[in-house]
Amino acid sequence: MEIKDFTNAFGVEPLYIFSAPARVNLIGEHIDYNGGHVLPCAISLFTKALVGKRNDQNVRLYSENTEKEVIADLNNLKYDESLGWANYPLGIFYILISKGYHLPFGLDIYYSSNIPLASGLSSSASILDLTAYLCNEIYTLELDRKDIAMIALEAERKYNGLNCGVMDQAIIALGKKNTCLYLDTFRFLHRYIPLNLLDYSLVVMKTNKPRVLTESKYNERVEECQKALSILKKYYIINNLCDLKSRDLPRIEKLLNDDLLYRRVRHCVTEEERVNKFVLALEDNDISELGRLLDESHESLKNDYEVTGLHLDTICEAARRVAVGARMTGAGFSGCAIAIVKTKKIPELTRVVQKEYKEKTGLDAECLQISVVDGPKGELLG
Ligand code: GLA
């Protein structure tokens, strides 16, 4: 993206440039809406925006990726499916206005992203956080990074209709170079944990399988967990499924008397325990334990939570022939997986994964070596 792209699209000069990263979750999957702990990090793929001020109350948005322009009146915003990606930034303006923030003028925003769309790396949370961040800077709203995450979350839930947890919006707003975020999703408390993998690296593996039904299946899992929680609250003093312990599982199985709900709960309970073991292993630089926990997490997401599928299972099985461990990351069903692998073995991992994945699925996988980066940034153009 270059300054002249903005000028070509809008016929005026931009004033600012901003960027926000993508994310992967190391472990703690599907438990951010069950009051659990998660361990994501911000990664070196970015949504960028060039921005200029307007003299009216319109926002004019252009996406380099879709080559589409959308103009909307700030005082008359309403979700419109036909606007596609633009509902994310518009959702931010809508939430800010509904919270009473004063936005005295409109903006021209030119977006460009190298985050693969619909691939489980949170391209949507990235554009949400980016837009909330740039509004905060330009309108001097005095929001901190947690406020930015909450505004982005509301825009996703209330404007775009996905009942997601807070993980993606939080890590993209709060991301810090070479660390992962140990986030208590119920209390919204966090601490940074250095991500020191010695001579190992984190690799992102893309299945390149188009996502289908992810949103509806995601909302279905949220409902199943809510149902199990409402039953278990009669027997346990708990706020969330992740408050339960694995020693409670035999009794929970009897109380629920429903195999599907039981397996959903078992995933939440064991995944929460794995996150805490993962943190200890990170602090001890115990790479083989990290790998073991990644594998275990994937198996639980496959068998108990049922959010993996042929493509994610195949890519992880292939990766494990070279990596110390591998698991799906994000919402699942397709999208991306991660692996921890000896840095010098990345070419071998790529070869093995691409060959085996192609044989079993007919699709081409990609392996991306990423680095762990800071959250949103911005500057005035000189
Ligand atoms: C999506 C959601 C997150 C989280 C993950 C699964 O990325 O946006 O809130 O629930 O799925 O861990």
Side-chain angles (χ1 to χ4, degrees):
M1 184 180 72
E2 292 172 40
I3 292 183
K4 71 170 173 21
D5 298 325
F6 181 99
T7 317
N8 290 342
F10 298 138
V12 285
E13 294 287 320
L15 288 176
Y16 309 89
I17 184 162
F18 294 92
S19 71
R23 70 97 185 85
V24 290
N25 185 21
L26 297 178
I27 197 158
E29 214 65 88
H30 281 279
I31 59 172
D32 64 339
Y33 51 88
N34 287 305
H37 289 81
V38 293
L39 204 64
C41 48
I43 60 167
S44 52
L45 293 165
F46 299 93
T47 313
K48 295 192 173 171
L50 287 165
V51 191
K53 292 183 184 175
R54 295 175 63 88
N55 298 321
D56 58 17
Q57 281 282 301
N58 287 339
V59 276
R60 184 165 52 164
L61 311 171
Y62 184 87
S63 149
E64 189 173 90
N65 300 70
T66 60
E67 297 182 353
K68 288 224 168 68
E69 179 176 302
V70 169
I71 300 186
D73 178 350
L74 276 180
N75 302 308
N76 193 15
L77 294 174
K78 197 162 167 281
Y79 179 84
D80 175 350
E81 200 179 340
S82 70
L83 298 182
W85 64 274
N87 285 303
Y88 293 114
L90 293 178
I92 295 294
F93 288 98
Y94 176 85
I95 297 294
L96 288 173
I97 291 167
S98 67
K99 286 184 172 302
Y101 288 102
H102 181 49
L103 312 184
F105 49 85
L107 300 175
D108 287 327
I109 315 179
Y110 184 102
Y111 292 100
S112 163
S113 173
N114 67 353
I115 307 173
L117 299 183
S119 66
L121 300 177
S122 271
S123 56
S124 54
S126 181
I127 193 172
L128 285 166
D129 280 31
L130 173 64
T131 308
Y133 182 87
L134 69 85
C135 284
N136 184 42
E137 297 292 311
I138 296 173
Y139 297 120
T140 45
L141 304 178
E142 300 190 350
L143 303 169
D144 65 21
R145 287 183 182 246
K146 280 193 170 172
D147 300 329
I148 286 173
M150 291 318 288
I151 283 168
L153 179 65
E154 279 194 47
E156 178 74 274
R157 285 187 180 161
K158 293 193 184 151
Y159 200 81
N160 286 275
L162 185 73
N163 255 331
C164 63
V166 69
M167 172 172 77
D168 303 345
Q169 293 76 16
I171 179 56
I172 290 173
L174 293 162
K176 216 183 223 177
K177 197 174 174 187
N178 297 333
T179 67
C180 47
L181 186 78
Y182 179 62
L183 178 69
D184 175 334
T185 60
F186 182 58
R187 292 167 194 85
F188 204 27
L189 298 173
H190 70 283
R191 100 181 138 88
Y192 293 100
I193 299 186
L195 187 62
N196 179 6
L197 297 177
L198 309 173
D199 52 346
Y200 288 77
S201 295
L202 186 63
V203 173
V204 173
M205 303 177 294
K206 265 184 80 194
T207 62
N208 283 327
K209 161 149 191 289
R211 277 213 305 207
V212 269
L213 290 178
T214 304
E215 278 76 16
S216 62
K217 286 192 186 164
Y218 185 94
N219 284 338
E220 187 182 293
R221 291 295 174 280
V222 175
E223 280 161 28
E224 289 163 354
C225 289
Q226 284 166 349
K227 189 167 169 201
L229 179 64
S230 71
I231 299 172
L232 294 171
K233 271 189 159 176
K234 294 183 198 136
Y235 305 95
Y236 294 92
I237 305 171
I238 50 171
N239 290 310
N240 299 290
L241 290 181
C242 289
D243 296 336
L244 296 160
K245 299 279 173 273
S246 52
R247 62 167 183 271
D248 300 325
L249 286 172
R251 178 164 178 242
I252 291 171
E253 185 171 16
K254 290 204 192 87
L255 292 172
L256 289 174
N257 194 22
D258 176 323
D259 182 55
L260 185 139
L261 287 189
Y262 173 61
R263 285 185 291 115
R264 304 296 188 251
V265 174
R266 184 165 61 184
H267 168 72
C268 296
V269 172
T270 58
E271 185 75 353
E272 170 71 5
E273 293 175 354
R274 279 187 288 274
V275 175
N276 293 314
K277 289 183 191 159
F278 199 94
V279 169
L280 293 179
L282 264 181
E283 286 166 349
D284 288 349
N285 292 325
D286 186 347
I287 306 283
S288 66
E289 173 73 352
L290 296 178
R292 194 187 66 74
L293 291 163
L294 290 186
D295 292 352
E296 228 181 79
S297 168
H298 186 90
E299 289 311 295
S300 179
L301 288 156
K302 175 181 171 192
N303 300 319
D304 281 354
Y305 217 69
E306 296 178 285
V307 291
T308 61
L310 172 77
H311 297 80
L312 286 166
D313 293 342
T314 304
I315 216 165
C316 288
E317 271 162 39
R320 285 181 201 133
R321 304 193 199 294
V322 185
V324 291
R327 62 179 286 274
M328 58 153 270
T329 189
F333 305 106
S334 57
C336 286
I338 53 168
I340 295 179
V341 64
K342 252 225 156 98
T343 305
K344 66 172 192 258
K345 286 192 172 177
I346 293 176
E348 186 186 343
L349 175 89
T350 308
R351 246 188 344 267
V352 169
V353 164
Q354 286 182 333
K355 181 165 180 291
E356 198 168 320
Y357 186 73
K358 177 89 176 182
E359 280 165 9
K360 294 205 175 138
T361 68
L363 297 177
D364 292 310
E366 282 166 75
C367 294
L368 318 172
Q369 195 181 352
I370 44 86
S371 49
V372 172
V373 300
D374 288 324
K377 286 194 168 93
E379 61 184 82
L380 252 176
L381 293 166

